Amino acid sequence: MTKGRTVATAMIGATALLFSLISMSLISMVKAAQCGSSPGGFEGWKREFSAEAQGKGIGQTAIAALMQTNYASATIAADRSQHSFSLSLDQFLAKRGAATIVARGRSLRQSQAAMFASIEQRYGVPPGPLIAIWGMETGFGSQRGNQNMLSSIATLAYDCRRPEFFTDQLYAALKLIDRGTLSGATRGSMHGEVGQTQFMPKNILAYGTGNLDVAANALSATANFLKAHGWRAGAGYQPGEPNFAAIEAWNAAGVYQKAIALMGRQIDQGGGSAAVR
């Protein structure tokens, strides 16, 4: 065999090995990425995902917590029935109890004036929109949810409807468990939101300021989020004004965004009727 033929043979062999490795990698990725639409495949998916997560540096504490999760049927049902966001603005305000939120919000703005002044000084966000978000998300902390956070997020990462979005959230949740910020027993709302203003895990990593079950921390984190999304101190936050884009970043539903802006304005203005419009 000539030297040239030896080199060519070696190159062919190397190319074949490379294609084999790429094919194995692709098969592994496809297998790990398989989603499902029923509880039947959830346990197998957990094993595949856990192996993938370990390969990306997720620790044993978080992996053990993931393996203890259950398929969250209630979360899937809630994910399929978010009808309130299709209501008109007036219908949405009535359904969410906007007048009550504004009335309570004005009282909280006064009773917690020092806290809100400190937050505004640091982040440039006035009390109104923060209080409106707080009231809308959890009724000022009274309705934070009682679902297992990790089960909810793992179920949605496995589900075929939005696996990419919730896979990112699941990795964030696992990192937070490894750090001790959250645990496998943390309770939250149907989609895995936790705390007084309902933060998803990725946002906790990016904007969290302490224990989000504490109102002051949650409100500071919310202001931190808004500032990071372009909030400018002193600028308006109604539709068409500079800071409305930051509210849009908080929640994708247009009716929710307008409700927060309207309630926030009523809370910041104070006095008079608590009717929102």
Side-chain angles (χ1 to χ4, degrees):
M1 183 180 292
T2 65
K3 182 178 179 181
R5 185 175 297 175
T6 301
V7 172
T9 301
M11 290 179 64
I12 291 170
T15 302
L17 177 61
L18 178 61
F19 276 117
S20 176
L21 291 172
I22 291 172
S23 296
M24 290 173 64
S25 176
L26 288 172
I27 290 170
S28 175
M29 288 173 64
V30 169
K31 184 178 180 183
Q34 281 184 330
C35 63
S37 56
S38 69
F42 187 60
E43 292 301 318
W45 174 88
K46 282 196 306 186
R47 289 190 293 271
E48 293 172 356
F49 192 92
S50 293
E52 180 183 334
Q54 284 181 295
K56 293 185 177 181
I58 299 298
Q60 286 303 312
T61 298
I63 294 298
L66 175 61
M67 292 307 296
Q68 292 298 313
T69 58
N70 297 310
Y71 184 84
S73 297
T75 288
I76 294 298
D79 190 60
R80 303 294 192 265
S81 60
Q82 300 183 70
H83 302 310
S84 66
F85 291 137
S86 64
L87 298 174
S88 70
L89 180 57
D90 286 338
Q91 290 171 330
F92 185 79
L93 291 168
K95 184 177 179 64
R96 292 299 186 100
T100 300
I101 291 173
V102 168
R104 176 85 190 280
R106 287 173 176 173
S107 175
L108 286 165
R109 190 195 69 183
Q110 294 178 346
S111 65
Q112 304 294 322
M115 176 184 71
F116 285 113
S118 175
I119 291 172
E120 185 168 9
Q121 182 178 27
R122 181 169 184 179
Y123 299 105
V125 183
L130 297 178
I131 294 172
I133 288 171
W134 187 18
M136 179 84 83
E137 294 287 356
T138 66
F140 305 105
S142 66
Q143 301 168 23
R144 281 173 275 172
N146 195 34
Q147 303 298 311
N148 181 274
M149 176 274 302
L150 194 59
S151 288
S152 294
I153 293 175
T155 298
L156 291 166
Y158 160 71
D159 184 60
C160 289
R161 182 165 179 255
R162 290 182 287 170
E164 295 85 2
F165 176 83
F166 283 102
T167 293
D168 287 346
Q169 297 295 340
L170 180 55
Y171 271 113
L174 295 173
K175 289 176 184 177
L176 290 164
I177 290 172
D178 270 343
R179 295 178 184 181
T181 304
L182 301 177
S183 77
T186 297
R187 313 300 286 186
S189 293
M190 287 295 182
H191 289 75
E193 311 96 321
V194 300
Q196 295 263 346
T197 56
Q198 300 288 273
F199 266 67
M200 293 295 289
K202 278 189 71 175
N203 285 338
I204 296 175
L205 282 176
Y207 312 109
T209 53
N211 182 353
L212 299 183
D213 284 326
V214 176
N217 292 338
L219 292 164
S220 292
T222 305
N224 189 25
F225 175 97
L226 294 173
K227 181 180 180 181
H229 287 81
W231 192 281
R232 301 206 319 256
Y237 56 84
Q238 297 305 300
E241 295 181 328
N243 287 330
F244 189 69
I247 295 175
E248 289 178 313
W250 178 265
N251 189 293
V255 69
Y256 181 105
Q257 298 158 2
K258 292 173 184 175
I260 292 300
L262 284 168
M263 287 189 286
R265 181 175 64 191
Q266 290 287 329
I267 292 166
D268 276 336
Q269 288 177 346
S273 170
V276 180
R277 280 306 275 169

